[in-house]
Amino acid sequence: SAKDLKPILKFIKSHQAADNVDYFGKAKDKNVFIFHLESFQQFMLNYKWDGQEVTPNLNKFYKNKNTISFSNFYNQVGQGKTSDAETMLENSLYGLSSGSAMVNYGTSNTFQAAPAILSQRGYTTAAFHGDVASFWNRDNTYKSWGYNYFFSKSFYPNAEKANYNVGYGMKDKIFLRDSAKYIEELPQPFYAKIITVTNHYPYDLDKANQSIKAFNTGDKTVDGYVQTARYLDQAFGEFITWLKKAGLYKNSMIVLYGDHYGISNNHRPAIAKLLHKATITNYDLAQFQKVPFMIHLNGVKGGIKKTYGGEIDVLPTLLDLLGIKDDDYVQFGTDMLSKQHVQIVPFRDGNFVAQDITKYGNQYYLTKTGQEIDPTDSKYRKRIGTIQDYVDKSLEYSDKVMTGDLLRFYQPKNFKKVNKKAISYKPSIS
Ligand code: GP9
Ligand code: MN
């Protein structure tokens, strides 16, 4: 009931972060691209292999003078993988401890998501994905989130052609080229989310598209990763070239993020080889959960920020730049550009990375050095208790909002409830 929201709102209010005046509204009324880098991990940025940079386009973007980049940004997904990332990014709500929130609650729940917030402020909102619309229940969930358009596989005439698909859908380069035609038609300003797929396990790629040698860890499930990551980088590079040609580069905020790891913790020996380490500790595995988060905006002072944060923090951060007040939204993350940003990253299993202490696999470390610490040591005990309490409450309260559909009892200022029935995603071809 509405009463259940009370302690949750109190918790959220107690750690709310004020907007940063240096950034507030800098992207007001600009187009927004959310570019989803499938399974792309931070360690691949600036990584050298086979005598080359693996991802020259992403590396350049990372260092661009107008890109706000984050070097301590973590994925926080659980079993819902991509769908958890999407849920966090556009709602600042966590995925569930098991299963996928989009699958279980996406159809029926009330949400106050990014596409709805923006479409109520004059934006056209659209999601692009070269896989079937029903995957992760996107076709229903996106309506609840207020997406005006969802361009999925059936919108892409090329999708059925032999050799145009690999793994989970259309090859990224073809997908992006074909998406361009739709993007050009969107009324501006627009909010466009673009979900790539080629850099997805099992990292298959046809010979013609391979432009770098496979890794040689000897772990077959890992070695192709570098080749599909390179392909993703090239696809991104082509997309940026197109944005410039189409006149969209300068009047858009371009956001990049990696959704989750590509190489799971089950591959310790391979990870050790890739990181040039003799053995891998739980601390290394925690660090290995870093993914990119970059925001490119013409005219904004960029730089690589060391602030600790994760996917749950993206929406408050972007709303700050967009000049949209979100003080009375139910969001579990905080603005990474704010001086009051909470530098605690809860993982879905209750582990965490905070700016001072990391907990992973029930071991505790100093985040800055990786030195293992004793959690019962009086030097750390109290601080660990404070962090753990924040982590547990965040997850517990977010779960209550999701499983109890509590947002149906909540009305933020200047927000209209999404009318799902008015939205339909009909393919232009069949
Ligand atoms: C499928 C794609 C993959 O449409 O988004 O999802 P994942 O397996 O990464 O969760
Ligand atoms: Mn994914």
Side-chain angles (χ1 to χ4, degrees):
S1 71
K3 248 184 39 211
D4 301 325
L5 267 171
K6 264 207 145 161
I8 299 174
L9 293 172
K10 199 176 150 211
F11 172 74
I12 285 173
K13 277 269 175 274
S14 72
H15 57 75
Q16 204 150 48
D19 293 315
N20 185 329
V21 289
D22 294 339
Y23 294 103
F24 187 79
K26 281 278 180 316
K28 195 171 169 26
D29 297 329
K30 295 260 194 298
N31 302 313
V32 180
F33 286 99
I34 308 288
F35 198 96
H36 169 113
L37 301 164
E38 179 58 41
S39 303
F40 193 88
Q41 299 182 218
Q42 181 80 1
F43 86 94
M44 290 297 276
L45 289 181
N46 296 320
Y47 196 86
K48 289 240 169 58
W49 171 246
D50 196 16
Q52 315 158 40
E53 275 180 281
V54 176
T55 59
N57 295 297
L58 291 167
N59 297 348
K60 216 172 108 193
F61 197 81
Y62 185 62
K63 287 176 286 218
N64 185 288
K65 68 174 184 351
N66 298 128
T67 305
I68 305 165
S69 292
F70 292 93
S71 59
N72 290 308
F73 181 85
Y74 293 79
N75 91 82
Q76 298 169 280
V77 308
Q79 289 175 354
K81 303 292 290 289
T82 297
S83 70
D84 284 353
E86 292 186 49
T87 301
M88 286 185 276
L89 249 87
E90 299 194 286
N91 298 276
S92 199
L93 294 173
Y94 288 94
L96 301 171
S97 59
S98 71
S100 157
M102 279 173 60
V103 171
N104 291 304
Y105 298 97
T107 308
S108 53
N109 270 22
T110 296
F111 291 94
Q112 288 139 13
I117 294 171
L118 286 169
S119 69
Q120 292 175 16
R121 284 168 178 76
Y123 274 74
T124 305
T125 58
F128 298 82
H129 185 49
D131 192 4
V132 291
S134 58
F135 205 102
W136 288 127
N137 193 32
R138 285 185 176 101
D139 46 350
N140 294 308
T141 306
Y142 285 177
K143 288 179 190 165
S144 305
W145 292 359
Y147 269 110
N148 305 133
Y149 300 101
F150 176 27
F151 298 93
S152 60
K153 194 164 186 171
S154 50
F155 285 79
Y156 295 85
N158 279 328
E160 296 305 332
K161 286 190 190 157
N163 204 29
Y164 276 50
N165 270 270
V166 65
Y168 284 73
M170 287 171 76
K171 288 184 201 164
D172 294 338
K173 288 186 186 179
I174 299 164
F175 161 66
L176 292 172
R177 247 174 258 156
D178 288 356
S179 298
K181 295 187 204 94
Y182 293 120
I183 294 169
E184 271 173 348
E185 300 296 323
L186 293 177
Q188 298 188 30
F190 56 72
Y191 172 88
K193 168 158 90 168
I194 296 169
I195 306 170
T196 62
V197 283
T198 310
N199 188 42
H200 191 295
Y201 176 82
Y203 313 116
D204 283 338
L205 194 61
D206 51 299
K207 270 254 149 32
N209 275 302
Q210 297 175 6
S211 60
I212 194 163
K213 266 199 323 216
F215 281 143
N216 66 351
T217 68
D219 187 334
K220 279 211 165 58
T221 55
V222 169
D223 286 350
Y225 183 65
V226 66
Q227 295 179 308
T228 48
R230 161 60 74 81
Y231 175 82
L232 172 58
D233 180 76
Q234 291 176 340
F236 171 71
E238 288 182 6
F239 186 70
I240 290 293
T241 304
W242 173 74
L243 284 182
K244 288 178 179 164
K245 244 190 253 155
L248 288 169
Y249 188 69
K250 285 205 165 150
N251 61 356
S252 302
M253 171 163 76
I254 304 160
V255 180
L256 253 62
Y257 82 106
D259 63 340
H260 50 73
Y261 56 84
I263 301 169
S264 87
N265 291 348
N266 303 324
H267 302 278
R268 280 187 189 229
I271 296 170
K273 277 201 182 123
L274 296 180
L275 299 184
H276 315 295
K277 289 188 169 170
T279 52
I280 289 293
T281 64
N282 276 327
Y283 173 78
D284 297 322
L285 291 181
Q287 296 279 304
F288 205 57
Q289 302 314 310
K290 286 184 192 179
V291 290
F293 177 36
M294 314 179 200
I295 305 165
H296 182 276
L297 185 58
N298 202 45
V300 138
K301 191 177 170 308
I304 299 169
K305 299 197 181 295
K306 297 198 174 83
T307 317
Y308 286 80
E311 288 164 329
I312 200 75
D313 301 312
V314 170
L315 180 61
T317 306
L318 298 185
L319 289 178
D320 185 357
L321 287 158
L322 287 162
I324 297 172
K325 284 267 169 222
D326 57 355
D327 318 13
D328 68 336
Y329 280 86
V330 177
Q331 297 170 344
F332 286 90
T334 60
D335 177 359
M336 286 185 75
L337 299 169
S338 168
K339 297 199 170 59
Q340 288 123 37
H341 168 66
V342 181
Q343 297 201 63
I344 297 174
V345 186
F347 291 120
R348 190 51 255 197
D349 58 4
N351 283 320
F352 56 77
V353 173
Q355 84 269 34
D356 49 349
I357 293 169
T358 292
K359 177 194 179 195
Y360 208 75
N362 281 315
Q363 280 174 293
Y364 294 80
Y365 303 90
L366 295 180
T367 299
K368 297 274 148 66
T369 61
Q371 184 203 318
E372 192 175 355
I373 55 169
D374 175 1
T376 63
D377 186 332
S378 61
K379 255 207 303 209
Y380 307 117
R381 208 176 45 218
K382 197 157 159 257
R383 171 66 182 155
I384 288 174
T386 305
I387 300 172
Q388 192 70 64
D389 184 60
Y390 176 84
V391 169
D392 295 348
K393 281 218 171 78
S394 297
L395 296 169
E396 181 199 324
Y397 284 156
S398 177
D399 287 350
K400 280 200 170 135
V401 169
M402 191 65 79
T403 61
D405 187 16
L406 295 185
L407 294 184
R408 84 193 126 128
F409 304 117
Y410 190 71
Q411 180 60 54
K413 267 178 264 142
N414 308 316
F415 185 85
K416 287 193 290 291
K417 208 176 148 84
V418 175
N419 181 8
K420 303 180 203 190
K421 289 203 191 72
I423 306 170
S424 89
Y425 306 133
K426 288 218 187 69
S428 57
I429 52 148
S430 50

PDB file of all heavy atoms in Angstrom, residues 76-105:
ATOM      1  N   GLN A  76      26.154  -3.568 -12.148  1.00  0.00           N
ATOM      2  CA  GLN A  76      25.526  -4.053 -10.910  1.00  0.00           C
ATOM      3  C   GLN A  76      24.449  -5.088 -11.220  1.00  0.00           C
ATOM      4  O   GLN A  76      23.505  -5.257 -10.451  1.00  0.00           O
ATOM      5  CB  GLN A  76      24.902  -2.861 -10.159  1.00  0.00           C
ATOM      6  CG  GLN A  76      25.911  -1.808  -9.736  1.00  0.00           C
ATOM      7  CD  GLN A  76      25.228  -0.544  -9.249  1.00  0.00           C
ATOM      8  OE1 GLN A  76      24.793   0.291 -10.035  1.00  0.00           O
ATOM      9  NE2 GLN A  76      25.101  -0.385  -7.945  1.00  0.00           N
ATOM     10  N   VAL A  77      24.594  -5.782 -12.345  1.00  0.00           N
ATOM     11  CA  VAL A  77      23.514  -6.668 -12.775  1.00  0.00           C
ATOM     12  C   VAL A  77      23.502  -7.973 -11.986  1.00  0.00           C
ATOM     13  O   VAL A  77      24.502  -8.380 -11.404  1.00  0.00           O
ATOM     14  CB  VAL A  77      23.590  -6.990 -14.291  1.00  0.00           C
ATOM     15  CG1 VAL A  77      23.698  -5.723 -15.118  1.00  0.00           C
ATOM     16  CG2 VAL A  77      24.734  -7.950 -14.601  1.00  0.00           C
ATOM     17  N   GLY A  78      22.346  -8.606 -11.992  1.00  0.00           N
ATOM     18  CA  GLY A  78      22.200  -9.959 -11.466  1.00  0.00           C
ATOM     19  C   GLY A  78      21.841 -10.882 -12.614  1.00  0.00           C
ATOM     20  O   GLY A  78      22.319 -10.685 -13.748  1.00  0.00           O
ATOM     21  N   GLN A  79      20.965 -11.842 -12.353  1.00  0.00           N
ATOM     22  CA  GLN A  79      20.618 -12.824 -13.387  1.00  0.00           C
ATOM     23  C   GLN A  79      19.959 -12.197 -14.608  1.00  0.00           C
ATOM     24  O   GLN A  79      19.975 -12.771 -15.685  1.00  0.00           O
ATOM     25  CB  GLN A  79      19.660 -13.873 -12.803  1.00  0.00           C
ATOM     26  CG  GLN A  79      20.316 -14.807 -11.821  1.00  0.00           C
ATOM     27  CD  GLN A  79      19.314 -15.755 -11.164  1.00  0.00           C
ATOM     28  OE1 GLN A  79      18.111 -15.625 -11.366  1.00  0.00           O
ATOM     29  NE2 GLN A  79      19.816 -16.681 -10.375  1.00  0.00           N
ATOM     30  N   GLY A  80      19.365 -11.031 -14.432  1.00  0.00           N
ATOM     31  CA  GLY A  80      18.678 -10.384 -15.545  1.00  0.00           C
ATOM     32  C   GLY A  80      19.603  -9.710 -16.556  1.00  0.00           C
ATOM     33  O   GLY A  80      19.119  -9.107 -17.524  1.00  0.00           O
ATOM     34  N   LYS A  81      20.906  -9.780 -16.312  1.00  0.00           N
ATOM     35  CA  LYS A  81      21.926  -9.286 -17.247  1.00  0.00           C
ATOM     36  C   LYS A  81      21.539  -7.982 -17.965  1.00  0.00           C
ATOM     37  O   LYS A  81      21.324  -6.975 -17.324  1.00  0.00           O
ATOM     38  CB  LYS A  81      22.270 -10.380 -18.284  1.00  0.00           C
ATOM     39  CG  LYS A  81      22.752 -11.677 -17.684  1.00  0.00           C
ATOM     40  CD  LYS A  81      24.110 -11.577 -17.003  1.00  0.00           C
ATOM     41  CE  LYS A  81      25.253 -11.374 -17.948  1.00  0.00           C
ATOM     42  NZ  LYS A  81      25.587 -12.531 -18.760  1.00  0.00           N
ATOM     43  N   THR A  82      21.434  -8.028 -19.295  1.00  0.00           N
ATOM     44  CA  THR A  82      21.097  -6.813 -20.053  1.00  0.00           C
ATOM     45  C   THR A  82      19.847  -6.138 -19.497  1.00  0.00           C
ATOM     46  O   THR A  82      19.805  -4.913 -19.365  1.00  0.00           O
ATOM     47  CB  THR A  82      20.853  -7.142 -21.544  1.00  0.00           C
ATOM     48  OG1 THR A  82      22.052  -7.642 -22.116  1.00  0.00           O
ATOM     49  CG2 THR A  82      20.419  -5.911 -22.323  1.00  0.00           C
ATOM     50  N   SER A  83      18.849  -6.924 -19.164  1.00  0.00           N
ATOM     51  CA  SER A  83      17.586  -6.334 -18.710  1.00  0.00           C
ATOM     52  C   SER A  83      17.762  -5.626 -17.366  1.00  0.00           C
ATOM     53  O   SER A  83      17.126  -4.600 -17.102  1.00  0.00           O
ATOM     54  CB  SER A  83      16.478  -7.379 -18.648  1.00  0.00           C
ATOM     55  OG  SER A  83      16.693  -8.301 -17.606  1.00  0.00           O
ATOM     56  N   ASP A  84      18.635  -6.142 -16.518  1.00  0.00           N
ATOM     57  CA  ASP A  84      18.925  -5.462 -15.252  1.00  0.00           C
ATOM     58  C   ASP A  84      19.615  -4.125 -15.520  1.00  0.00           C
ATOM     59  O   ASP A  84      19.307  -3.108 -14.877  1.00  0.00           O
ATOM     60  CB  ASP A  84      19.851  -6.313 -14.372  1.00  0.00           C
ATOM     61  CG  ASP A  84      19.117  -7.481 -13.709  1.00  0.00           C
ATOM     62  OD1 ASP A  84      17.879  -7.546 -13.835  1.00  0.00           O
ATOM     63  OD2 ASP A  84      19.792  -8.314 -13.076  1.00  0.00           O
ATOM     64  N   ALA A  85      20.549  -4.150 -16.465  1.00  0.00           N
ATOM     65  CA  ALA A  85      21.253  -2.911 -16.801  1.00  0.00           C
ATOM     66  C   ALA A  85      20.247  -1.872 -17.298  1.00  0.00           C
ATOM     67  O   ALA A  85      20.263  -0.715 -16.870  1.00  0.00           O
ATOM     68  CB  ALA A  85      22.319  -3.179 -17.858  1.00  0.00           C
ATOM     69  N   GLU A  86      19.355  -2.291 -18.188  1.00  0.00           N
ATOM     70  CA  GLU A  86      18.361  -1.350 -18.722  1.00  0.00           C
ATOM     71  C   GLU A  86      17.445  -0.825 -17.618  1.00  0.00           C
ATOM     72  O   GLU A  86      17.103   0.357 -17.585  1.00  0.00           O
ATOM     73  CB  GLU A  86      17.529  -2.034 -19.813  1.00  0.00           C
ATOM     74  CG  GLU A  86      18.331  -2.350 -21.067  1.00  0.00           C
ATOM     75  CD  GLU A  86      17.452  -2.892 -22.188  1.00  0.00           C
ATOM     76  OE1 GLU A  86      16.411  -2.275 -22.473  1.00  0.00           O
ATOM     77  OE2 GLU A  86      17.797  -3.945 -22.756  1.00  0.00           O
ATOM     78  N   THR A  87      17.040  -1.716 -16.717  1.00  0.00           N
ATOM     79  CA  THR A  87      16.160  -1.330 -15.612  1.00  0.00           C
ATOM     80  C   THR A  87      16.837  -0.283 -14.735  1.00  0.00           C
ATOM     81  O   THR A  87      16.238   0.731 -14.379  1.00  0.00           O
ATOM     82  CB  THR A  87      15.791  -2.571 -14.772  1.00  0.00           C
ATOM     83  OG1 THR A  87      15.131  -3.515 -15.615  1.00  0.00           O
ATOM     84  CG2 THR A  87      14.875  -2.213 -13.616  1.00  0.00           C
ATOM     85  N   MET A  88      18.091  -0.512 -14.402  1.00  0.00           N
ATOM     86  CA  MET A  88      18.813   0.450 -13.564  1.00  0.00           C
ATOM     87  C   MET A  88      19.021   1.765 -14.304  1.00  0.00           C
ATOM     88  O   MET A  88      18.775   2.840 -13.764  1.00  0.00           O
ATOM     89  CB  MET A  88      20.158  -0.143 -13.135  1.00  0.00           C
ATOM     90  CG  MET A  88      19.999  -1.211 -12.067  1.00  0.00           C
ATOM     91  SD  MET A  88      21.572  -1.822 -11.423  1.00  0.00           S
ATOM     92  CE  MET A  88      21.988  -3.045 -12.648  1.00  0.00           C
ATOM     93  N   LEU A  89      19.475   1.678 -15.535  1.00  0.00           N
ATOM     94  CA  LEU A  89      19.802   2.890 -16.280  1.00  0.00           C
ATOM     95  C   LEU A  89      18.626   3.834 -16.450  1.00  0.00           C
ATOM     96  O   LEU A  89      18.781   5.040 -16.377  1.00  0.00           O
ATOM     97  CB  LEU A  89      20.356   2.541 -17.668  1.00  0.00           C
ATOM     98  CG  LEU A  89      21.832   2.885 -17.781  1.00  0.00           C
ATOM     99  CD1 LEU A  89      22.678   1.742 -17.300  1.00  0.00           C
ATOM    100  CD2 LEU A  89      22.201   3.325 -19.157  1.00  0.00           C
ATOM    101  N   GLU A  90      17.457   3.279 -16.714  1.00  0.00           N
ATOM    102  CA  GLU A  90      16.341   4.155 -17.076  1.00  0.00           C
ATOM    103  C   GLU A  90      15.341   4.387 -15.949  1.00  0.00           C
ATOM    104  O   GLU A  90      14.422   5.184 -16.106  1.00  0.00           O
ATOM    105  CB  GLU A  90      15.649   3.600 -18.328  1.00  0.00           C
ATOM    106  CG  GLU A  90      16.648   3.580 -19.484  1.00  0.00           C
ATOM    107  CD  GLU A  90      16.020   3.382 -20.825  1.00  0.00           C
ATOM    108  OE1 GLU A  90      15.604   2.237 -21.116  1.00  0.00           O
ATOM    109  OE2 GLU A  90      15.966   4.358 -21.585  1.00  0.00           O
ATOM    110  N   ASN A  91      15.536   3.679 -14.822  1.00  0.00           N
ATOM    111  CA  ASN A  91      14.628   3.856 -13.690  1.00  0.00           C
ATOM    112  C   ASN A  91      15.329   4.170 -12.388  1.00  0.00           C
ATOM    113  O   ASN A  91      14.691   4.573 -11.420  1.00  0.00           O
ATOM    114  CB  ASN A  91      13.804   2.581 -13.475  1.00  0.00           C
ATOM    115  CG  ASN A  91      12.926   2.247 -14.659  1.00  0.00           C
ATOM    116  OD1 ASN A  91      11.828   2.763 -14.783  1.00  0.00           O
ATOM    117  ND2 ASN A  91      13.423   1.401 -15.552  1.00  0.00           N
ATOM    118  N   SER A  92      16.639   3.905 -12.341  1.00  0.00           N
ATOM    119  CA  SER A  92      17.370   3.962 -11.073  1.00  0.00           C
ATOM    120  C   SER A  92      16.723   3.049 -10.023  1.00  0.00           C
ATOM    121  O   SER A  92      16.654   3.381  -8.846  1.00  0.00           O
ATOM    122  CB  SER A  92      17.502   5.404 -10.562  1.00  0.00           C
ATOM    123  OG  SER A  92      18.537   5.492  -9.611  1.00  0.00           O
ATOM    124  N   LEU A  93      16.230   1.910 -10.508  1.00  0.00           N
ATOM    125  CA  LEU A  93      15.746   0.830  -9.637  1.00  0.00           C
ATOM    126  C   LEU A  93      16.614  -0.394  -9.925  1.00  0.00           C
ATOM    127  O   LEU A  93      17.044  -0.590 -11.065  1.00  0.00           O
ATOM    128  CB  LEU A  93      14.287   0.460  -9.964  1.00  0.00           C
ATOM    129  CG  LEU A  93      13.193   1.491  -9.712  1.00  0.00           C
ATOM    130  CD1 LEU A  93      11.856   0.965 -10.273  1.00  0.00           C
ATOM    131  CD2 LEU A  93      13.067   1.777  -8.223  1.00  0.00           C
ATOM    132  N   TYR A  94      16.850  -1.219  -8.919  1.00  0.00           N
ATOM    133  CA  TYR A  94      17.669  -2.412  -9.126  1.00  0.00           C
ATOM    134  C   TYR A  94      16.890  -3.523  -9.821  1.00  0.00           C
ATOM    135  O   TYR A  94      15.659  -3.569  -9.757  1.00  0.00           O
ATOM    136  CB  TYR A  94      18.177  -2.943  -7.777  1.00  0.00           C
ATOM    137  CG  TYR A  94      19.240  -2.062  -7.169  1.00  0.00           C
ATOM    138  CD1 TYR A  94      18.902  -1.069  -6.251  1.00  0.00           C
ATOM    139  CD2 TYR A  94      20.567  -2.197  -7.536  1.00  0.00           C
ATOM    140  CE1 TYR A  94      19.872  -0.235  -5.703  1.00  0.00           C
ATOM    141  CE2 TYR A  94      21.549  -1.373  -6.997  1.00  0.00           C
ATOM    142  CZ  TYR A  94      21.192  -0.400  -6.088  1.00  0.00           C
ATOM    143  OH  TYR A  94      22.156   0.418  -5.563  1.00  0.00           O
ATOM    144  N   GLY A  95      17.638  -4.416 -10.475  1.00  0.00           N
ATOM    145  CA  GLY A  95      17.050  -5.678 -10.910  1.00  0.00           C
ATOM    146  C   GLY A  95      16.751  -6.513  -9.683  1.00  0.00           C
ATOM    147  O   GLY A  95      16.967  -6.073  -8.551  1.00  0.00           O
ATOM    148  N   LEU A  96      16.254  -7.704  -9.890  1.00  0.00           N
ATOM    149  CA  LEU A  96      15.855  -8.542  -8.747  1.00  0.00           C
ATOM    150  C   LEU A  96      16.998  -9.467  -8.320  1.00  0.00           C
ATOM    151  O   LEU A  96      17.962  -9.661  -9.048  1.00  0.00           O
ATOM    152  CB  LEU A  96      14.628  -9.378  -9.136  1.00  0.00           C
ATOM    153  CG  LEU A  96      13.409  -8.553  -9.572  1.00  0.00           C
ATOM    154  CD1 LEU A  96      12.332  -9.463 -10.146  1.00  0.00           C
ATOM    155  CD2 LEU A  96      12.867  -7.737  -8.404  1.00  0.00           C
ATOM    156  N   SER A  97      16.843 -10.065  -7.137  1.00  0.00           N
ATOM    157  CA  SER A  97      17.896 -10.973  -6.661  1.00  0.00           C
ATOM    158  C   SER A  97      17.896 -12.266  -7.473  1.00  0.00           C
ATOM    159  O   SER A  97      18.895 -12.967  -7.538  1.00  0.00           O
ATOM    160  CB  SER A  97      17.717 -11.261  -5.178  1.00  0.00           C
ATOM    161  OG  SER A  97      16.452 -11.841  -4.957  1.00  0.00           O
ATOM    162  N   SER A  98      16.754 -12.592  -8.079  1.00  0.00           N
ATOM    163  CA  SER A  98      16.770 -13.674  -9.063  1.00  0.00           C
ATOM    164  C   SER A  98      15.762 -13.367 -10.164  1.00  0.00           C
ATOM    165  O   SER A  98      14.777 -12.675  -9.934  1.00  0.00           O
ATOM    166  CB  SER A  98      16.474 -15.027  -8.413  1.00  0.00           C
ATOM    167  OG  SER A  98      15.138 -15.078  -8.028  1.00  0.00           O
ATOM    168  N   GLY A  99      16.029 -13.843 -11.349  1.00  0.00           N
ATOM    169  CA  GLY A  99      15.153 -13.571 -12.491  1.00  0.00           C
ATOM    170  C   GLY A  99      15.335 -12.153 -13.000  1.00  0.00           C
ATOM    171  O   GLY A  99      16.275 -11.454 -12.612  1.00  0.00           O
ATOM    172  N   SER A 100      14.431 -11.737 -13.882  1.00  0.00           N
ATOM    173  CA  SER A 100      14.518 -10.429 -14.515  1.00  0.00           C
ATOM    174  C   SER A 100      13.297  -9.589 -14.170  1.00  0.00           C
ATOM    175  O   SER A 100      12.160 -10.027 -14.357  1.00  0.00           O
ATOM    176  CB  SER A 100      14.605 -10.604 -16.039  1.00  0.00           C
ATOM    177  OG  SER A 100      14.166  -9.439 -16.696  1.00  0.00           O
ATOM    178  N   ALA A 101      13.525  -8.377 -13.685  1.00  0.00           N
ATOM    179  CA  ALA A 101      12.413  -7.479 -13.356  1.00  0.00           C
ATOM    180  C   ALA A 101      11.601  -7.128 -14.600  1.00  0.00           C
ATOM    181  O   ALA A 101      10.382  -6.988 -14.541  1.00  0.00           O
ATOM    182  CB  ALA A 101      12.944  -6.211 -12.693  1.00  0.00           C
ATOM    183  N   MET A 102      12.276  -6.992 -15.736  1.00  0.00           N
ATOM    184  CA  MET A 102      11.551  -6.661 -16.969  1.00  0.00           C
ATOM    185  C   MET A 102      10.591  -7.787 -17.347  1.00  0.00           C
ATOM    186  O   MET A 102       9.477  -7.554 -17.798  1.00  0.00           O
ATOM    187  CB  MET A 102      12.536  -6.385 -18.115  1.00  0.00           C
ATOM    188  CG  MET A 102      13.116  -4.972 -18.079  1.00  0.00           C
ATOM    189  SD  MET A 102      14.426  -4.659 -19.303  1.00  0.00           S
ATOM    190  CE  MET A 102      13.581  -4.959 -20.852  1.00  0.00           C
ATOM    191  N   VAL A 103      11.045  -9.017 -17.168  1.00  0.00           N
ATOM    192  CA  VAL A 103      10.205 -10.162 -17.516  1.00  0.00           C
ATOM    193  C   VAL A 103       9.046 -10.288 -16.519  1.00  0.00           C
ATOM    194  O   VAL A 103       7.897 -10.473 -16.896  1.00  0.00           O
ATOM    195  CB  VAL A 103      11.041 -11.460 -17.546  1.00  0.00           C
ATOM    196  CG1 VAL A 103      10.140 -12.685 -17.689  1.00  0.00           C
ATOM    197  CG2 VAL A 103      12.069 -11.401 -18.675  1.00  0.00           C
ATOM    198  N   ASN A 104       9.357 -10.145 -15.228  1.00  0.00           N
ATOM    199  CA  ASN A 104       8.347 -10.420 -14.199  1.00  0.00           C
ATOM    200  C   ASN A 104       7.410  -9.253 -13.910  1.00  0.00           C
ATOM    201  O   ASN A 104       6.276  -9.460 -13.520  1.00  0.00           O
ATOM    202  CB  ASN A 104       9.035 -10.857 -12.909  1.00  0.00           C
ATOM    203  CG  ASN A 104       9.675 -12.226 -13.059  1.00  0.00           C
ATOM    204  OD1 ASN A 104       9.009 -13.192 -13.402  1.00  0.00           O
ATOM    205  ND2 ASN A 104      10.977 -12.299 -12.849  1.00  0.00           N
ATOM    206  N   TYR A 105       7.907  -8.032 -14.054  1.00  0.00           N
ATOM    207  CA  TYR A 105       7.098  -6.866 -13.672  1.00  0.00           C
ATOM    208  C   TYR A 105       6.971  -5.812 -14.766  1.00  0.00           C
ATOM    209  O   TYR A 105       6.234  -4.848 -14.604  1.00  0.00           O
ATOM    210  CB  TYR A 105       7.684  -6.220 -12.400  1.00  0.00           C
ATOM    211  CG  TYR A 105       7.653  -7.164 -11.220  1.00  0.00           C
ATOM    212  CD1 TYR A 105       8.778  -7.903 -10.867  1.00  0.00           C
ATOM    213  CD2 TYR A 105       6.481  -7.348 -10.484  1.00  0.00           C
ATOM    214  CE1 TYR A 105       8.751  -8.794  -9.800  1.00  0.00           C
ATOM    215  CE2 TYR A 105       6.433  -8.230  -9.421  1.00  0.00           C
ATOM    216  CZ  TYR A 105       7.570  -8.956  -9.082  1.00  0.00           C
ATOM    217  OH  TYR A 105       7.529  -9.839  -8.036  1.00  0.00           O
TER     218      TYR A 105
END
